[in-house]
């Protein structure tokens, strides 16, 4: 069915192998003439995922007219109504194979990734080309209603948002961001970094991409320190925007992995029914360790937010 939907918009696509499949989408590597291509087909057609997929297609279409200052796959064909996208397959190795890398990235890799993110964040595409994917007041209110933010968290973040709205200049207006600036979404090639998966691209408070990268580098304290310095080098407004982003990103990660842990516990076989090699760590334990680290990170970000509010 996926290949049939690809052939409707790109008849010359010749599938070679399934690159990745999840419950939401499937990626198929193939060729179109002399070009190696990747077809992405949406499997979950619930409204939220359809909207996200259409946002990604809109980003690639915008890049045809307005090239970003970083390398991105070229659009070949797309059908937003049926959830099908065909793009050029870019050469290179992923800067990380997982969302939360266990090992710290090499300094050269981190330098390349941060350089690409900085160039993208400085870009100013024409007005109306991209929207703002994240409604900050609504997200803060939602996390508060779910019990993920305390009353003080909500009040502190609202104070920082209010200050940013009156800061003026570019800090108050926003920054163009990739929206999911993970190392796993950055391909490193001899000709420079390539950013993929643009489904969250748009305007955010400054520092959103840096906050995303910071949140997944829990085992790389030196990299985190460098990211924090970059995020705050433009002054107090830059610092406050980074902290608001960090609280939202870390809370989203906590929510995601709490759901994953609950699912793992529910689906786990009875204790003792499956032998576990000596020294091995089960997937459930890995998720719990990550969750503990994310809670520690969020507590640290919360203290930084309170200190920032105290200096206003």
């Amino acid at each position: 069915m996926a290949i049939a939907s690809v052939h409707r918009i790109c008849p010359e696509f010749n599938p070679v192998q399934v690159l990745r499949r999840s419950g939401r989408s499937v990626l198929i590597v193939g060729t179109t003439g002399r070009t190696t291509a990747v077809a992405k087909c949406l499997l979950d057609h619930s409204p939220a995922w359809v909207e996200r997929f259409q946002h990604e297609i809109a980003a690639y279409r915008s890049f045809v007219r307005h090239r970003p200052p970083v390398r991105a796959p070229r659009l070949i064909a797309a059908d937003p109504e049926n959830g099908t996208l065909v793009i050029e397959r870019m050469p290179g190795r992923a800067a990380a194979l997982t969302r939360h890398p266990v090992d710290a990235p090499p300094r050269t890799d981190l330098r390349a990734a941060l350089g690409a993110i900085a160039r993208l964040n400085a870009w100013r595409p024409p007005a109306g080309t991209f929207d703002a994917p994240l409604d900050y007041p609504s997200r803060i209110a939602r996390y508060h209603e779910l019990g993920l933010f305390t009353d003080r968290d909500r009040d502190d973040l609202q104070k920082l948002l209010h200050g940013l709205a009156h800061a003026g200049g570019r800090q108050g207006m926003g920054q163009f961001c990739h929206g999911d600036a993970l190392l796993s979404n950055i391909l490193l090639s001899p000709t420079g970094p390539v950013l993929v998966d643009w489904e969250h691209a748009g305007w955010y408070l400054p520092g959103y991409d840096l906050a995303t990268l910071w949140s997944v580098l829990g085992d790389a304290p030196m990299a985190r320190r460098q990211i924090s310095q970059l995020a705050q080098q433009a002054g107090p407004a830059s610092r406050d925007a980074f902290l608001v982003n960090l609280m939202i990103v870390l809370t989203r990660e906590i929510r995601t992995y709490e759901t994953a842990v609950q699912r793992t516990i529910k689906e786990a076989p009875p204790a003792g029914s499956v032998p576990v090699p000596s020294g091995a760590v089960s997937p459930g334990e890995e998720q719990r360790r990550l969750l503990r680290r994310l809670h520690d990170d969020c507590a640290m970000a919360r203290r930084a937010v309170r200190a920032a509010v105290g200096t206003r």
Side-chain angles (χ1 to χ4, degrees), residues 1-4 6 13-31 37-41 43 89:
M1 288 175 62
I3 292 172
V6 174
F13 182 80
N14 179 35
V16 176
Q17 71 176 95
V18 173
L19 185 64
R20 187 172 73 238
R21 177 171 182 162
S22 68
R24 299 187 178 99
S25 63
V26 58
L27 294 182
I28 305 169
V29 177
T31 57
V38 175
K40 182 176 182 180
C41 302
L43 302 178
R89 189 184 190 191

Side-chain angles (χ1 to χ4, degrees), residues 140-141 144 149-163 244 305-306 309 312:
I140 291 169
H144 177 256
F149 283 162
T150 65
D151 290 350
R152 183 167 179 181
D153 290 337
R154 177 200 58 194
D155 294 345
D156 285 348
L157 291 172
Q158 287 176 344
K159 288 176 184 176
L160 293 184
L161 282 181
H162 181 75
V244 172
V305 165
R306 291 178 180 178
V309 170
R312 281 203 153 296

Side-chain angles (χ1 to χ4, degrees), residues 80-105:
E81 298 303 320
N82 293 310
T84 309
L85 170 67
V86 183
I87 56 175
E88 172 189 17
R89 189 184 190 191
M90 305 295 282
R93 61 175 177 84
L97 298 178
T98 59
R99 185 178 186 87
H100 291 263
V102 175
D103 299 318

Side-chain angles (χ1 to χ4, degrees), residues 269-291:
S273 62
V274 178
V276 178
S278 177
V281 178
S282 67
E285 180 58 28
E286 287 182 1
Q287 291 169 345
R288 282 188 285 270
R289 287 181 182 178
L290 174 57
L291 195 52

Side-chain angles (χ1 to χ4, degrees), residues 99-101 110 113-114 117-118 121 134 136 139 157 164 175-183 186 204-218 220 223-232 237-254 293-294 297-298 300-301 304-305:
R99 185 178 186 87
H100 291 263
L110 181 64
L114 289 175
I117 290 171
N121 293 162
L134 176 59
Y136 284 88
R139 181 65 61 87
L157 291 172
L164 289 166
Q175 181 183 72
F176 186 80
C177 293
H178 177 274
D180 199 20
L182 308 169
L183 290 178
I186 300 176
Y204 294 81
L205 284 179
Y208 187 87
D209 282 342
L210 293 176
T212 299
L213 193 56
W214 190 98
S215 72
V216 299
L217 290 177
R224 276 188 162 183
R225 188 173 299 115
Q226 183 178 352
I227 292 168
S228 296
Q229 290 170 351
L230 286 172
Q232 302 178 60
S238 175
R239 173 205 64 193
D240 292 353
F242 175 69
L243 291 175
V244 172
N245 285 320
L246 197 56
M247 280 292 288
I248 288 176
V249 169
L250 286 169
T251 303
R252 180 200 64 204
E253 293 292 299
I254 288 172
R293 193 262 288 166
L294 288 169
D297 289 343
C298 198
M300 180 167 57
V305 165

Side-chain angles (χ1 to χ4, degrees), residues 119-134:
R119 291 193 299 276
L120 182 67
N121 293 162
W123 187 42
R124 297 285 156 185
T129 308
F130 292 91
D131 59 11
L134 176 59

